[in-house]
């Protein structure tokens, strides 16, 4: 008996969704024509949060690299943007792309430093690196020292045009990060990372070079963090060392990823959207805001340990075509 | 029984390993020839699984040498040893729980030493799964498999690495009388196709029906190594492992 099998990626659902996503992106692209400025600003914030959550999840949820120092690369991206756009006089959009790349370039040598550490030491080590980079930046006069630096590149532009331009940059950034994430998870690197996520020892035994794959993901997500940092600088029109290198970014990223669902592509997106609404609604309540956030985190983690997405999908389906499916195509009776 | 060459594929020399006070390898020395099938027996806690861990690099040696194809493995990570052609199964299965059976095995075929493209890797994975008898579970998350199927998955993943040496750690336990011969046939076939086998198993009659040589370890020491029938008659092996009323039954 000979059986023939076909190997495909994704489900029927995954065939429809790209159409919906494309429609969504197009709708979002024309929004500035119809949407009041404050809403555009809010969307930019939400896009940045989604990028951050997605990147932190690739690192921690798939790579197993629980870092609390990725604000290092957010900061590098933000400062690189201001430096390239204002000091070097580059087009700010080109500067944004370069800032992302520069952040990735910094990550490569730094990975050799932090990868000597593991587990909790790795987490603390990344934080220390972020603090050291901050202390270094504070010393640099061209970057404004301890009081920070303003972004002047948009000063010739009217408010409406500027906000729309930033909105489109953020939209392009989130589109590219999500698309790259999906392509990454469909690639060999994605297969390796998923295996590392589930069992690091078994992955190594099966020939997955755990260290090299982790380094690759560490550098790649740093590009994303740098991009987010650049966007933050653009939307705030100002970079301050204590804010941009703040460990709060790590706390927020952990919150979004854990409540959304660690180790899935969808989870962090949901987590980021939920977090966005929570902070938008609750930020005026002061301490209550933090208490409610904390209680909610605890509730979700104990009631649905796999996060909101795990609870919704019950591991039965995914929005993106990363899963493999084997189906039987023919069956010949015989010897 | 397939014959094998005289070339040493793997040389274990004077290896020592201890976990705290427990000595698990106390100067073990032996060679494995290319194409050979070597069985390992020994009481619980003897250091059998640890020996496989030392060979594939999951545990570092305290001292000694492991030479594979005239090259020392001592400084190589498990993944690098896999790329040299060493694959293994785990006594306690280590599935990628949230990945499907196919994806689990695809990891093995994709990241093996030989460069294969995606299509080839998929084909190797499909074939390994069929061979290990998991065809009904291609799309099942590995975490949902029963223990016996998890052991089959261990075998499928190891096969997908297309190894030169296959280290097997108690994969026959729990199989029924009709399933056991199928497994034995798979291992004989592999061995006949040139794959060197090192196999730990407590089901002695099954083991000796496949292996060329048998080795007994106890308390981290090599007690005896040689022709299966000789090792099974060795008085120390009987004393430390088999017990005096032991008889090789079944298919042996
Ligand atoms: N990583 C470890 N850390 C500490 N002790 C260990 C470790 N691995 C194994 N041991 C101990 O070393 C001894 C040998 O264990 P090993 O698993 O090699 O035995 P085994 O011969 O495979 O036994 P079994 O037949 O039960 O599988 C045992 O006492 C075990 O508890
Ligand atoms: Mg064992």
């Amino acid at each position: 008996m000979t059986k023939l099998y076909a190997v495909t990626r994704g489900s029927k659902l995954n065939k429809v969704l790209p159409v919906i996503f494309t429609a969504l992106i197009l709708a979002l692209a024309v929004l500035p024509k119809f949407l009041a400025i404050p809403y555009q600003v809010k969307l930019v914030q939400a896009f940045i949060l989604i990028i951050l959550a997605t990147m932190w999840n690739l690192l921690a949820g798939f790579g197993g690299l629980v870092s609390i120092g990725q604000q290092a690369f957010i900061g590098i991206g933000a400062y690189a943007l201001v430096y390239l756009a204002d000091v070097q006089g580059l087009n700010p959009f080109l500067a944004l792309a370069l800032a992302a790349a520069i952040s990735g370039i910094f990550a490569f040598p730094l990975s050799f430093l932090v990868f000597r550490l593991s587990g909790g030491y790795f987490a603390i080590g990344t934080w220390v690196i972020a603090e050291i980079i901050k202390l270094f930046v504070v010393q640099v006069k061209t970057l404004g020292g301890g009081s920070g630096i303003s972004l002047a590149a948009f000063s010739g532009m009217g408010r409406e045009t500027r906000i729309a331009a930033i909105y489109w940059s953020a939209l392009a950034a989130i589109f590219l990060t999500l698309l790259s994430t999906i392509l990454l998870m469909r690639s060999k690197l994605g297969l390796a990372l998923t295996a590392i996520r589930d069992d690091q020892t078994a992955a190594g035994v099966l020939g997955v070079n755990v260290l090299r794959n982790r380094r690759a993901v560490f550098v790649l997500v740093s590009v994303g963090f740098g991009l987010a940092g650049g966007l933050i600088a653009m939307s705030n029109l100002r970079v301050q060392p204590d804010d941009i290198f703040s460990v709060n970014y790590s706390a927020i990223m952990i919150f979004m990823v854990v409540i959304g669902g660690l180790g899935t592509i969808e989870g962090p997106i949901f987590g980021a959207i939920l977090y966005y609404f929570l902070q938008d609604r609750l930020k005026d309540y002061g301490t209550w805001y933090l208490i409610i956030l904390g209680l909610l985190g605890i509730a979700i983690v104990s009631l649905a340990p796999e996060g909101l997405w795990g609870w919704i999908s019950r591991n039965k389906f995914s929005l993106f075509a990363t899963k493999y499916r084997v189906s039987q195509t023919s069956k010949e009776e015989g010897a | 029984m397939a014959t094998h060459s005289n070339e040493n594929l793997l040389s274990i020399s004077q290896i020592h390993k201890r976990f705290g006070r427990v000595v698990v390898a106390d100067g073990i020395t032996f060679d494995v020839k290319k194409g050979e099938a070597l069985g390992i027996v020994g009481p619980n806690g003897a250091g059998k699984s640890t020996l496989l861990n030392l060979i594939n690099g999951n545990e570092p040696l305290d001292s000694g040498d492991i030479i594979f194809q005239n090259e020392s493995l001592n400084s190589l990570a498990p993944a690098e040893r896999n790329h040299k052609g060493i694959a293994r199964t785990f006594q306690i299965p280590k599935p990628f729980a949230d990945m499907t059976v196919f994806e689990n095995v695809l990891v093995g075929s994709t990241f093996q030493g030989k460069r294969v493209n995606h299509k080839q890797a998929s084909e190797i994975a499909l074939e390994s799964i069929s061979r290990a008898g998991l065809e009904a579970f291609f799309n099942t998350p590995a975490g949902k498999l029963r223990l016996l199927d998890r052991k089959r998955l261990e075998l499928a993943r190891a096969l997908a690495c297309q190894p030169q040496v296959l280290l097997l750690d108690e994969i026959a336990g729990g199989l029924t009388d009709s399933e056991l011969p199928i497994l034995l046939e798979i291992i004989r076939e592999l061995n006949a196709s040139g794959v060197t086998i090192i196999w730990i198993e407590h089901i002695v009659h099954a083991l000796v029906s496949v292996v060329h040589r048998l080795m007994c370890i106890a308390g981290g020491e090599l007690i005896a190594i040689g022709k299966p029938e000789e090792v099974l008659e060795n008085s120390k092996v009987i004393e430390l492992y088999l017990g005096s009323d032991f008889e090789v039954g079944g298919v042996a």
Side-chain angles (χ1 to χ4, degrees):
Chain A
M1 196 164 73
T2 324
K3 289 178 183 170
L4 289 175
Y5 296 102
V7 178
T8 48
R9 307 291 296 266
S11 58
K12 286 196 185 96
L13 178 70
N14 298 142
K15 299 221 156 44
V16 194
L17 282 169
V19 182
I20 298 175
F21 286 133
T22 315
L24 184 66
I25 293 286
L26 288 176
L28 285 168
V30 297
L31 261 189
K33 293 257 175 292
F34 311 103
L35 205 61
I37 285 180
Y39 289 103
Q40 293 182 37
V41 174
K42 281 173 185 235
L43 275 172
V44 170
Q45 282 168 9
F47 292 167
I48 292 171
L49 289 173
I50 293 173
I51 295 174
L52 290 177
T54 301
M55 294 297 104
W56 195 83
N57 174 60
L58 278 181
L59 190 66
F62 285 101
L65 294 165
V66 178
S67 161
I68 52 173
Q70 294 311 296
Q71 59 273 17
F73 303 101
I74 299 175
I76 289 173
Y79 273 102
L81 174 93
V82 178
Y83 177 79
L84 292 172
D86 282 1
V87 183
Q88 298 295 327
L90 292 185
N91 171 302
F93 306 105
L94 175 63
L96 179 64
L98 288 175
I102 286 171
S103 178
I105 291 167
F106 267 90
F108 183 68
L110 285 174
S111 74
F112 287 88
L113 217 61
V114 284
F115 278 27
R116 296 170 150 270
L117 309 168
S118 61
Y121 296 101
F122 173 82
I124 302 291
T126 54
W127 188 7
V128 171
I129 298 255
E131 288 296 310
I132 291 174
I133 292 175
K134 180 181 91 179
L135 291 176
F136 181 77
V137 166
V138 166
Q139 303 303 315
V140 183
K141 278 219 182 69
T142 3
L143 297 179
S147 53
I149 189 167
S150 294
L151 178 66
F154 289 110
S155 50
M157 236 181 236
R159 180 166 138 86
E160 219 156 296
T161 335
R162 186 190 79 229
I163 304 266
I166 292 168
Y167 173 86
W168 276 315
S169 308
L171 184 64
I174 191 178
F175 175 72
L176 287 175
T177 0
L178 291 182
L179 186 66
S180 319
T181 302
I182 294 162
L183 293 177
L184 173 86
M185 291 318 296
R186 282 173 62 95
S187 73
K188 247 173 105 165
L189 177 58
L191 185 65
L193 289 174
T194 315
I196 292 170
R197 173 196 70 184
D198 280 6
D199 192 315
Q200 193 187 320
T201 311
V205 166
L206 291 175
V208 176
N209 188 324
V210 177
L211 187 67
R212 191 183 326 145
N213 284 290
R214 283 186 163 165
R215 197 183 309 289
V217 75
F218 186 78
V219 171
L220 286 173
V221 297
S222 299
V223 175
F225 286 122
L227 188 61
L231 285 171
I232 292 171
M234 275 186 171
S235 54
N236 294 351
L237 295 178
R238 179 160 187 81
V239 184
Q240 249 184 320
D242 284 330
D243 291 343
I244 203 77
F245 288 110
S246 166
V247 73
N248 281 352
Y249 278 115
S250 285
I252 294 168
M253 291 191 285
I254 294 170
F255 182 84
M256 294 187 294
V257 172
V258 171
I259 62 168
L262 189 72
T264 62
I265 303 179
E266 298 87 346
I269 301 174
F270 281 80
I273 294 171
L274 180 68
Y275 171 78
Y276 172 78
F277 281 111
L278 283 173
Q279 56 97 42
D280 192 52
R281 280 293 121 90
L282 302 172
K283 64 185 165 209
D284 300 328
Y285 295 92
T287 344
W288 279 107
Y289 159 57
L290 292 173
I291 292 171
I292 292 173
L293 223 53
L295 288 176
L296 192 82
I298 293 167
I300 290 177
V301 170
S302 44
L303 294 176
E306 301 204 327
L308 284 178
W309 177 251
W311 182 70
I312 296 169
S313 73
R314 307 212 174 269
N315 290 331
K316 290 263 188 326
F317 60 95
S318 72
L319 297 185
F320 308 108
T322 50
K323 277 296 223 194
Y324 285 88
R325 274 209 82 72
V326 178
S327 48
Q328 204 167 310
T329 54
S330 74
K331 190 175 182 175
E332 297 165 27
E333 296 298 326
Chain B
M1 219 176 253
T3 46
H4 48 82
S5 74
N6 269 327
E7 194 187 324
N8 272 346
L9 186 67
L10 184 68
S11 296
I12 311 291
S13 83
Q14 282 299 322
I15 59 169
H16 289 263
K17 177 76 184 176
R18 52 162 64 216
F19 292 113
R21 286 227 198 103
V22 188
V23 177
V24 283
D26 195 8
I28 292 179
T29 300
F30 64 94
D31 293 328
V32 184
K33 305 251 181 279
K34 195 169 189 320
E36 188 183 7
L38 172 70
I40 302 179
V41 293
N44 293 115
K48 304 181 298 296
S49 296
T50 304
L51 180 62
L52 296 198
N53 283 336
L54 294 169
I55 295 174
N56 97 298
N58 272 349
E59 291 286 352
L61 288 169
D62 290 346
S63 66
D65 274 308
I66 298 179
I67 311 287
F68 182 65
Q69 293 179 317
N70 301 321
E71 197 187 336
S72 171
L73 296 181
N74 291 10
S75 61
L76 299 186
E80 294 167 306
R81 298 190 201 199
N82 170 293
H83 298 159
K84 299 264 178 222
I86 301 175
R88 72 167 293 176
T89 67
F90 286 100
Q91 181 177 350
I92 298 165
K94 285 181 170 295
F96 302 124
D98 286 337
M99 300 169 78
T100 66
V101 164
F102 176 77
E103 289 165 343
N104 265 263
V105 181
L106 188 66
V107 173
S109 57
T110 302
F111 297 101
Q112 61 167 311
K114 246 173 279 167
R115 273 195 173 276
V116 290
N117 63 33
H118 182 64
K119 191 159 178 288
Q120 291 165 321
S122 295
E123 276 160 15
I124 296 165
L126 292 171
E127 200 201 306
S128 309
I129 292 167
S130 304
R131 215 163 166 189
L134 280 174
E135 274 167 312
F137 300 108
F138 281 120
N139 301 314
T140 308
K144 296 244 156 69
L145 295 178
R146 299 171 306 147
L147 177 63
L148 213 58
D149 291 324
R150 288 180 186 217
K151 291 198 171 192
R152 292 193 171 106
L153 179 60
E154 284 290 322
L155 181 64
R157 290 198 308 199
L159 293 178
C161 299
Q162 303 193 303
Q164 294 193 58
V165 185
L166 183 56
L167 312 174
L168 301 169
D169 198 348
E170 299 193 24
I171 46 163
L175 293 181
T176 64
D177 288 347
S178 59
E179 290 168 326
L180 187 59
I182 300 173
L183 176 71
L184 295 181
E185 202 38 49
I186 295 171
I187 297 171
R188 272 196 210 103
E189 244 177 62
L190 273 172
N191 188 225
S193 72
V195 179
T196 306
I197 309 278
I198 301 179
W199 182 10
I200 300 171
E201 196 61 67
H202 284 298
I203 308 169
V204 179
H205 70 81
L207 193 59
V208 297
S209 74
V210 173
V211 299
H212 303 108
R213 283 197 300 161
L214 191 63
M215 174 167 114
C216 177
I217 51 180
E221 273 182 74
L222 200 160
I223 304 298
I225 184 166
K227 290 211 177 95
E229 51 282 13
E230 287 170 18
V231 170
L232 293 176
E233 278 167 13
N234 183 304
S235 58
K236 272 182 100 180
V237 173
I238 293 171
E239 181 199 329
L240 291 167
Y241 176 60
L242 298 170
S244 52
D245 54 355
F246 176 79
E247 261 176 66
V248 179
V251 290

